[in-house]
Amino acid sequence: MIIQDARVELPTGQLDIWVAVAAHVSPYQQEQAYQDLLSVQENEMFKALRYPEHRFDYLMGRALLRSVLGSYTGRKPEDLQFERNDFGKPELSNVDDAPRFNLSLTDGVAILAVHADADIGADIEYHGHGRSMLEVADQYFSALEIADLKTLPSTDQKRGFFRYWTLKESLVKAKGEGMSVPLDSFSFRATKEAGASVHKAKLVNAPAHFIDDASQWDFRFFELGLDYTAAVSVSRPLHRICVRESIPLVGAMEVDSTEALFSNHHQDALSAAFC
């Protein structure tokens, strides 16, 4: 367990993935404390959101970002300042040798991927909509990926779709160039590994100008419970991945199985850790 305000080290070659789940965070009633961390611009964005669940998710995501980066840098979360590149990718602007990071937020879950010095992108998606995955894939996926999806049983096609979708989005975010490269112009191969929680993927083709040496990149995907899929793209090989669930401003604990994140056993362990 990691206690709030404890300094966290980030060894070379390690990727840290932090997860915050709204259903697990809300009982701690930290909303006002989270809002107190926001910058003026963040607070304006928060107030512009209409729906309570969107407002809470936004607060949780910003609190996760600020509290985690504060634990690496030794800075107070509210003192961190961010700037964006020309394509909107954020970076810390007031910390020397700041870690690289990428935040992704979907319905009720936020993930934050952090690496010491590599380009990094993260994406998480919620499965809860009724569109045919193959119809969407026809618009955005390569012929290789579509063919792979069609080999899956119909019950597995939604999960297969989101593995490819999150991998593609994470790579685009890692490159930090916006949607300047069409999603169907590069292809992944994503197959689950027995006994693993975080699975490796392979970039099998891409435009020459898009990525210099795919063999030096590390691509991973994982599932959180039954309804969420996430992926990360990192520009250097990874030696270790550490997944933690965070209750921002309260504490964090390591996650052994991302697929069991919503299980009763995991929730009992989380409650016991912070009681």
Side-chain angles (χ1 to χ4, degrees):
M1 182 177 71
I2 297 174
I3 303 301
Q4 177 61 32
D5 297 330
R7 188 70 180 262
V8 177
E9 300 298 325
L10 187 58
T12 301
Q14 177 168 307
L15 173 69
D16 285 354
I17 301 172
W18 300 77
V19 182
V21 179
H24 300 172
V25 172
S26 60
Y28 290 87
Q29 299 181 349
Q30 295 288 312
E31 290 93 327
Q32 186 57 57
Y34 295 167
Q35 191 171 350
D36 291 342
L37 301 179
L38 301 181
S39 68
V40 172
Q41 183 180 22
E42 289 170 333
N43 201 42
E44 290 175 352
M45 294 180 66
F46 165 69
K47 291 180 178 178
L49 296 171
R50 289 185 57 190
Y51 299 105
E53 61 271 25
H54 295 166
R55 291 163 67 91
F56 186 84
D57 285 354
Y58 179 80
L59 274 183
M60 179 181 72
R62 301 314 295 179
L64 177 69
L65 177 67
R66 287 181 169 276
S67 62
V68 167
L69 294 181
S71 71
Y72 290 115
T73 62
R75 299 290 188 93
K76 292 181 179 180
E78 62 271 26
D79 291 342
L80 296 174
Q81 298 176 18
F82 301 90
E83 61 184 8
R84 293 180 179 271
N85 69 10
D86 293 340
F87 296 97
K89 188 175 183 180
E91 298 176 347
L92 280 170
S93 60
N94 63 334
V95 178
D96 294 332
D97 298 321
R100 311 293 288 274
F101 64 90
N102 201 231
L103 175 72
S104 184
L105 179 67
T106 191
D107 301 55
V109 179
I111 65 166
L112 175 66
V114 187
H115 191 278
D117 53 12
D119 293 332
I120 186 169
D123 188 56
I124 183 168
E125 300 290 343
Y126 176 55
H127 300 179
H129 56 71
R131 294 185 67 182
S132 166
M133 296 301 98
L134 290 180
E135 289 180 6
V136 180
D138 282 339
Q139 300 177 53
Y140 298 105
F141 287 7
S142 70
L144 182 65
E145 292 162 339
I146 294 169
D148 183 58
L149 283 180
K150 289 180 177 179
T151 67
L152 297 176
S154 59
T155 53
D156 293 339
Q157 286 179 354
K158 179 177 282 192
R159 281 192 170 194
F161 169 87
F162 281 107
R163 289 170 200 161
Y164 285 125
W165 183 268
T166 55
L167 283 163
K168 286 173 173 289
E169 288 286 340
S170 71
L171 178 53
V172 168
K173 293 175 73 177
K175 292 292 293 178
E177 299 173 359
M179 295 300 291
S180 57
V181 175
L183 292 180
D184 62 359
S185 68
F186 57 96
S187 302
F188 279 100
R189 177 75 71 190
T191 304
K192 290 186 68 173
E193 304 160 73
S197 182
V198 179
H199 310 277
K200 289 185 177 182
K202 184 177 181 180
L203 185 69
V204 293
N205 61 60
H209 64 280
F210 180 48
I211 189 166
D212 294 330
D213 185 359
S215 68
Q216 294 302 305
W217 283 70
D218 208 308
F219 306 103
R220 307 290 178 113
F221 68 93
F222 54 98
E223 282 150 355
L224 296 93
L226 298 175
D227 297 321
Y228 298 87
T229 299
V232 291
S233 293
V234 185
S235 65
R236 295 184 183 177
L238 298 175
H239 303 306
R240 183 172 185 265
I241 298 174
C242 182
V243 182
R244 303 183 180 101
E245 181 174 3
S246 172
I247 308 295
L249 303 186
V250 177
M253 62 179 289
E254 289 199 22
V255 174
D256 294 325
S257 170
T258 62
E259 293 188 41
L261 194 69
F262 296 94
S263 68
N264 291 334
H265 175 75
H266 176 81
Q267 292 181 53
D268 289 345
L270 188 67
S271 298
F274 301 127
C275 285

